[in-house]
Amino acid sequence: MLKIAVCVSGGGTNLQAIIDGIENQTITNTEIEVVISNNKNAYALERAKQHGIKSICISPKDYASREEFNEDFLKQLNSYHVDLVVLAGFLVVIPEQMIKEYTNRIINIHPSLIPSFCGTGYYGLKVHEGVLSRGVKVTGATVHFVDEGTDTGPIILQKAVAVEETDTPEVLQRRVMEQAEWIIMPKAIDLIANGKVTVTDGKVHIG
Ligand code: GRF
């Protein structure tokens, strides 16, 4: 059984897709041990509560220094003994020590086809604003392992989504969520839970 921690900061629609996937068995062999948020008002916490999933709130704002936050965040995560950490719209920089201890055991969903429209400054609606201002015809989403860079870890799954001429950033964001994020995030977790994902020389092999 793959035990996972899901880290959230906002609405939690990706968390909901994971919860639904476990409940309808499109995600097998997996249980959500804990939901972690830096934002006590995140609706994602309400989603966890509705499904009886344990949640904790931990924010850098509540610590005298970033180092103290990083240390306590890692200590609290380790206390749950999870196999995989899932970043689902988590807006806190992952501590270097956590990346070291959880090599190829932290995954993230990014709302573009990496390496386009990613890296520092590209998050939330800013990604889709970049897509529309560049005029690309296809965008999508990427699930990748987290390494010490920003959106630079080995790519696990990607799914393309058409950009429409009338799109606004909000309309495009929703389409990318519905047609890509909520499909590939659960799929990636199911593949990992069933031992189908390996990483060799920074490249992901599935099967
Ligand atoms: C998603 O668009 C995801 O791609 C990005 O943050 C957003 C999270 O949305 N990383 P939600 O909280 O899962 O609804």
Side-chain angles (χ1 to χ4, degrees), residues 52-117:
I53 299 168
K54 201 184 312 168
S55 64
I56 62 168
C57 247
I58 178 166
S59 169
K61 292 182 195 143
D62 301 330
Y63 291 79
S65 71
R66 195 51 179 252
E67 291 67 32
E68 285 173 65
F69 164 76
N70 286 348
E71 209 174 299
D72 198 34
F73 181 17
L74 181 55
K75 188 161 158 258
Q76 291 200 40
L77 174 65
N78 285 341
S79 72
Y80 290 97
H81 305 290
V82 298
D83 305 299
L84 183 72
V85 180
V86 178
L87 308 184
F90 191 56
L91 296 178
V92 172
V93 173
I94 302 301
E96 216 172 290
Q97 187 55 28
M98 188 178 288
I99 291 169
K100 282 199 179 76
E101 292 187 20
Y102 287 79
T103 301
N104 292 334
R105 291 201 294 144
I106 306 174
I107 64 172
N108 181 52
I109 178 95
H110 182 76
S112 76
L113 295 175
I114 289 175
S116 299
F117 308 103

